[in-house]
């Protein structure tokens, strides 16, 4: 939020001196703030009938009596803060703020952030909660476990929270370009076209947490970067949360290269499923090797998710169990 007073734009009206003020919305999704078909801004205008309010993009120009204007600015700041926190603004919230009433909200245990449309993103399982705790305590965390346990989703939520709280300046998400049964070279299109579908799970998680317009702005300004692991070479990553997903598909050299990118005021989360390695049979998983080599290094956390942490459809847990049972029969 910024306030820009208009010097000299002060004149005598019927009810006293009139002032023109410019207010700039900085950290909110404008669609969510103004409402569908500008329904929220129309309500705000009705609630402040003595003011003339013109909204264009993120700029609001307000003309009116000095006392009325001061009250409006106080209320609009509160609305902006609410919208930034919850990614949502409703008519009930607007009315409560204008009338000075407390906004009723049920307390959410283990809340990380509010996603798009105010959805509460929560650490649901015990190991998800341990990941949140480990993120506060360590600068590097290895997080392993089967599909559907939410390890990547929670990692990205922690990164978004750190960005939102201005603890870091950027988020960097990466994956090794090892395909599960496909070859990128044979897919049509330019390199970006080939890589985007492979990186889509990372986009999907971000789209649940950050409104579309804001996410586009972040990505255009490189505040949020999504790139294959090979693009990390030679970089030093400061003031960032860096997440390496599907790390079981890294080689020893790749994961060493990635881990040594960690810079000042940065945190790194490495996620993977060691039961789903897509590397050639003769290649050792860099994730498994790194966890062995670094197991006694202080400042490194390790969270092991199990099938009990699966938070997708209930069938996912049954599928994981069935495959585990099948593998067990093969061994014996």
């Amino acid at each position: 939020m910024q306030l820009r007073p208009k010097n000299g734009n002060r004149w005598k009206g019927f009810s006293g001196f009139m002032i023109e003020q410019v207010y700039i919305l900085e950290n909110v999704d404008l669609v969510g703030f103004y409402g569908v078909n500008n329904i929220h801004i129309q309500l705000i205008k009705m609630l402040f009938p003595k003011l003339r309010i013109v909204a264009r993009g993120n700029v609001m120009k307000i003309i009116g009596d000095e006392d009325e204007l001061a009250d409006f600015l106080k209320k609009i700041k509160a609305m902006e803060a609410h919208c930034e926190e919850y990614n949502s603004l409703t008519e009930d919230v607007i009315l409560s703020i204008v009338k000075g009433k407390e906004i009723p909200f049920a307390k959410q245990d283990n809340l990380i952030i509010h996603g798009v449309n105010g959805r509460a993103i929560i650490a649901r399982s015990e190991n998800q909660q341990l990941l949140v705790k480990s993120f506060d305590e360590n600068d590097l965390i290895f997080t392993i476990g089967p599909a559907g346990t939410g390890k990547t989703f929670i990692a990205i939520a922690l990164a978004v929270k750190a960005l939102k709280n201005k603890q870091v300046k950027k988020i960097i998400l990466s994956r090794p370009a090892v395909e599960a049964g496909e070859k990128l070279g044979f897919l049509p299109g330019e390199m970006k076209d080939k890589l985007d579908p492979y990186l889509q799970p990372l986009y999907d998680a971000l789209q649940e947490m950050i409104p579309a317009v804001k996410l586009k702005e972040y990505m255009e300004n490189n505040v949020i970067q999504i790139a294959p692991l090979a693009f990390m070479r030679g970089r030093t990553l400061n003031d960032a949360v860096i997440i390496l997903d599907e790390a079981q598909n890294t080689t020893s050299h790749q994961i060493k290269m990635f881990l040594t990118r960690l810079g000042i005021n940065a945190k790194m989360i490495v996620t993977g499923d060691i039961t789903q390695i897509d590397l050639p049979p003769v290649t050792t998983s860099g994730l498994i090797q790194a966890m062995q080599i670094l197991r006694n290094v202080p400042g490194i956390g390790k969270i092991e998710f199990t099938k009990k942490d699966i938070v997708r459809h209930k069938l996912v847990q049954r599928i994981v169990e069935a495959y585990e049972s099948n593998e067990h029969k093969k061994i014996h």
Side-chain angles (χ1 to χ4, degrees):
M1 177 277 297
Q2 289 183 7
L3 293 176
R4 293 185 183 174
K6 292 271 191 171
N7 293 329
N9 287 359
R10 182 184 178 98
W11 59 92
K12 185 76 171 172
F14 289 111
S15 59
F17 282 103
M18 307 293 284
I19 297 174
E20 179 179 324
Q21 183 81 60
V22 172
Y23 184 93
I24 299 178
L25 297 161
E26 288 189 320
N27 299 310
V28 294
D29 170 46
L30 294 178
V31 175
F33 188 85
Y34 289 140
V36 178
N37 296 323
N38 291 322
I39 191 170
H40 294 164
I41 196 66
Q42 296 302 328
L43 175 60
I44 291 167
K45 288 179 179 180
M46 287 174 57
L47 294 169
F48 291 91
K50 295 180 181 179
L51 297 177
R52 184 183 174 207
I53 303 166
V54 179
R56 294 280 187 276
N58 69 330
V59 179
M60 299 178 74
K61 184 163 70 173
I62 315 101
I63 300 172
D65 171 81
E66 189 169 6
D67 292 338
E68 276 283 319
L69 191 57
D71 183 51
F72 172 83
L73 293 174
K74 178 182 175 183
K75 302 293 173 56
I76 209 74
K77 285 179 193 176
M79 292 177 208
E80 183 183 20
H82 179 94
C83 192
E84 182 182 0
E85 173 67 23
Y86 295 97
N87 280 320
S88 174
L89 189 65
T90 66
E91 292 181 28
D92 288 342
V93 168
I94 293 170
L95 288 167
S96 294
I97 289 174
V98 172
K99 294 177 181 179
K101 295 181 179 179
E102 185 176 343
I103 302 169
F105 274 103
K107 186 179 183 298
Q108 296 276 4
D109 291 333
N110 302 310
L111 176 72
I112 302 175
I113 56 168
H114 285 90
V116 173
N117 296 323
R119 176 197 168 192
I121 294 174
I122 296 165
R124 298 183 182 279
S125 72
E126 183 178 346
N127 279 318
Q128 287 185 359
Q129 292 162 25
L130 284 174
L131 176 53
V132 174
K133 185 172 185 288
S134 186
F135 184 78
D136 291 334
E137 297 173 350
N138 300 288
D139 289 338
L140 170 60
I141 308 153
F142 289 104
T143 306
I144 61 171
T149 52
K151 54 189 183 296
T152 301
F153 190 77
I154 296 300
I156 293 175
L158 290 168
V160 172
K161 180 181 179 180
L163 181 66
K164 199 171 184 178
N165 292 343
K166 297 181 171 55
Q167 295 169 303
V168 296
K169 295 179 181 177
K170 55 183 177 283
I171 296 172
I172 298 165
L173 308 176
S174 187
R175 275 184 156 196
V178 176
E179 313 82 22
E182 295 184 49
K183 297 295 180 185
L184 289 174
F186 292 100
L187 295 175
E190 300 297 325
M191 183 57 70
K192 184 180 185 302
D193 299 323
K194 295 177 182 181
L195 290 169
D196 275 356
Y198 185 71
L199 299 169
Q200 191 60 47
L202 305 179
Y203 290 107
D204 290 345
L206 287 168
Q207 286 165 354
E208 289 195 44
M209 300 177 200
I210 303 173
V213 174
K214 194 67 180 176
L215 178 57
K216 183 182 178 184
E217 177 190 322
Y218 278 150
M219 299 192 74
E220 287 175 349
N221 295 330
N222 287 324
V223 174
I224 295 178
Q225 303 168 31
I226 304 178
L229 179 59
F231 287 51
M232 297 296 108
R233 190 173 300 278
R235 301 180 66 184
T236 300
L237 306 173
N238 299 319
D239 297 307
V241 177
I242 312 117
I243 297 172
L244 175 60
D245 192 33
E246 299 288 348
Q248 76 275 5
N249 289 328
T250 58
T251 64
S252 300
H253 293 298
Q254 285 176 327
I255 200 162
K256 180 183 176 184
M257 176 274 292
F258 180 81
L259 296 175
T260 53
R261 301 306 95 199
L262 188 65
I264 303 300
N265 188 40
K267 285 180 179 281
M268 187 175 279
I269 305 176
V270 178
T271 74
D273 179 358
I274 58 175
T275 68
Q276 293 187 354
I277 298 173
D278 299 315
L279 294 167
V282 295
T283 305
T284 301
S285 168
L287 174 60
I288 294 174
Q289 186 183 70
M291 288 193 299
Q292 290 172 343
I293 292 172
L294 302 174
R295 64 186 179 277
N296 296 321
V297 176
I300 298 178
K302 180 184 175 185
I303 310 294
E304 293 189 42
F305 285 76
T306 71
K307 59 191 177 186
K308 292 180 181 178
D309 296 298
I310 291 175
V311 291
R312 290 182 185 168
H313 193 287
K314 59 185 178 182
L315 275 177
V316 175
Q317 184 170 340
R318 295 175 194 168
I319 291 167
V320 171
E321 289 173 347
Y323 271 89
E324 285 181 353
S325 176
N326 187 61
E327 290 297 319
H328 184 73
K329 286 176 183 176
K330 283 182 181 178
I331 294 171
H332 293 83

